[in-house]
C-alpha cells in the first residue's frame, strides 16, 4: 500500500519520469509528491517539490481556482507542473528526479484576471502550435485565449 498521508488536494496518474509507465503525482499540504512506477509496483512517495502545496509554507495553493496541472512546457519529454495562482501562471520544470524551483511565467490566467472557476472558465495544457512544447488554452465567456510556451515563459 502507498501512503501519501491525508493532506492531499488531488492526484494524477501520468508518466512523470519519461519511462512510459504511469506514475502517481499528488498535490498535498507540503508540496508535490511522486511515486514512481516500477512496472509491478510503485515506489514510496517522495516530495519532488516543496511548492504548489496548500500550506502557508508551500504557497497556500488551494483547490478554489488555483488549478495545478501537468504538461511538457519546455519540450524535453518530461511533464512539468503548471499552476494558476492569484496573480498569474507559475511553472516548475521537471529534471527527471524532482521539480526545479517555481518560476513566474505569465501574468495571464490568474484569479485576478477572472479565471476563478475552473468549471465555468476552464484552462487546458496542450501543444497548440505543434512545436513540442505544451501551451495554455483557456475558454472564457468572451472567447478562447492562448499563451504559447517558448520553453522559459509564455508568449502573450
Amino acid at each position: 500500500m502507498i501512503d501519501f498521508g491525508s493532506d492531499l488536494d488531488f492526484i494524477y496518474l501520468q508518466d512523470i519520469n519519461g519511462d512510459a509507465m504511469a506514475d502517481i503525482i499528488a498535490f498535498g499540504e507540503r508540496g508535490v509528491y511522486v511515486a514512481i512506477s516500477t512496472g509491478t509496483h510503485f515506489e514510496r512517495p517522495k516530495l519532488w517539490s516543496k511548492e504548489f502545496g496548500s500550506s502557508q509554507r508551500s504557497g497556500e495553493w488551494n483547490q478554489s481556482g488555483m488549478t495545478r496541472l501537468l504538461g511538457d512546457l519546455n519540450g524535453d519529454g518530461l511533464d512539468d507542473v503548471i499552476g494558476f495562482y492569484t496573480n498569474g501562471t507559475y511553472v516548475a520544470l521537471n529534471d527527471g528526479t524532482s521539480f526545479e524551483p517555481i518560476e513566474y511565467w505569465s501574468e495571464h490566467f490568474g484569479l485576478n484576471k477572472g479565471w476563478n472557476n475552473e468549471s465555468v472558465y476552464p484552462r487546458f495544457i496542450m501543444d497548440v502550435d505543434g512545436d513540442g512544447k505544451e501551451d495554455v488554452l483557456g475558454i472564457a465567456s468572451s472567447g478562447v485565449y492562448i499563451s504559447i510556451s517558448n520553453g522559459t515563459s509564455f508568449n502573450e
Side-chain angles (χ1 to χ4, degrees), residues 85-145:
Y85 203 66
T86 303
N87 63 340
T89 306
Y90 289 82
V91 170
L93 296 175
N94 179 350
D95 68 12
T97 60
S98 67
F99 294 109
E100 295 177 5
I102 195 170
E103 296 178 354
Y104 185 67
W105 274 35
S106 171
E107 67 183 37
H108 299 288
F109 295 106
L111 275 65
N112 64 348
K113 301 285 186 179
W115 299 92
N116 52 14
N117 186 329
E118 195 65 30
S119 298
V120 178
Y121 308 113
R123 293 157 291 189
F124 302 94
I125 306 302
M126 62 183 64
D127 186 1
V128 176
D129 61 354
D131 67 354
K133 295 183 276 298
E134 292 185 280
D135 313 299
V136 179
L137 182 141
I139 300 173
S141 56
S142 58
V144 176
Y145 296 86

Side-chain angles (χ1 to χ4, degrees), residues 3-141:
D3 184 11
F4 284 96
S6 61
D7 69 334
L8 299 182
D9 294 332
F10 52 91
I11 297 174
Y12 290 105
L13 291 172
Q14 209 159 319
D15 178 16
I16 201 71
N17 63 347
D19 64 2
M21 291 186 281
D23 307 302
I24 301 172
I25 302 92
F27 291 85
E29 183 178 302
R30 293 177 288 173
V32 186
Y33 299 87
V34 175
I36 299 294
S37 173
T38 67
T40 59
H41 67 277
F42 292 95
E43 295 177 356
R44 282 185 60 116
K46 293 181 182 166
L47 188 61
W48 272 36
S49 173
K50 292 182 181 179
E51 300 170 306
F52 292 105
S54 57
S55 73
Q56 183 178 16
R57 231 181 197 168
S58 58
E60 294 186 296
W61 292 78
N62 60 49
Q63 296 179 44
S64 179
M66 293 182 184
T67 303
R68 292 156 284 177
L69 300 172
L70 300 167
D72 183 5
L73 302 171
N74 61 353
D76 66 356
L78 301 172
D79 283 342
D80 311 301
V81 177
I82 180 169
F84 303 105
Y85 203 66
T86 303
N87 63 340
T89 306
Y90 289 82
V91 170
L93 296 175
N94 179 350
D95 68 12
T97 60
S98 67
F99 294 109
E100 295 177 5
I102 195 170
E103 296 178 354
Y104 185 67
W105 274 35
S106 171
E107 67 183 37
H108 299 288
F109 295 106
L111 275 65
N112 64 348
K113 301 285 186 179
W115 299 92
N116 52 14
N117 186 329
E118 195 65 30
S119 298
V120 178
Y121 308 113
R123 293 157 291 189
F124 302 94
I125 306 302
M126 62 183 64
D127 186 1
V128 176
D129 61 354
D131 67 354
K133 295 183 276 298
E134 292 185 280
D135 313 299
V136 179
L137 182 141
I139 300 173
S141 56

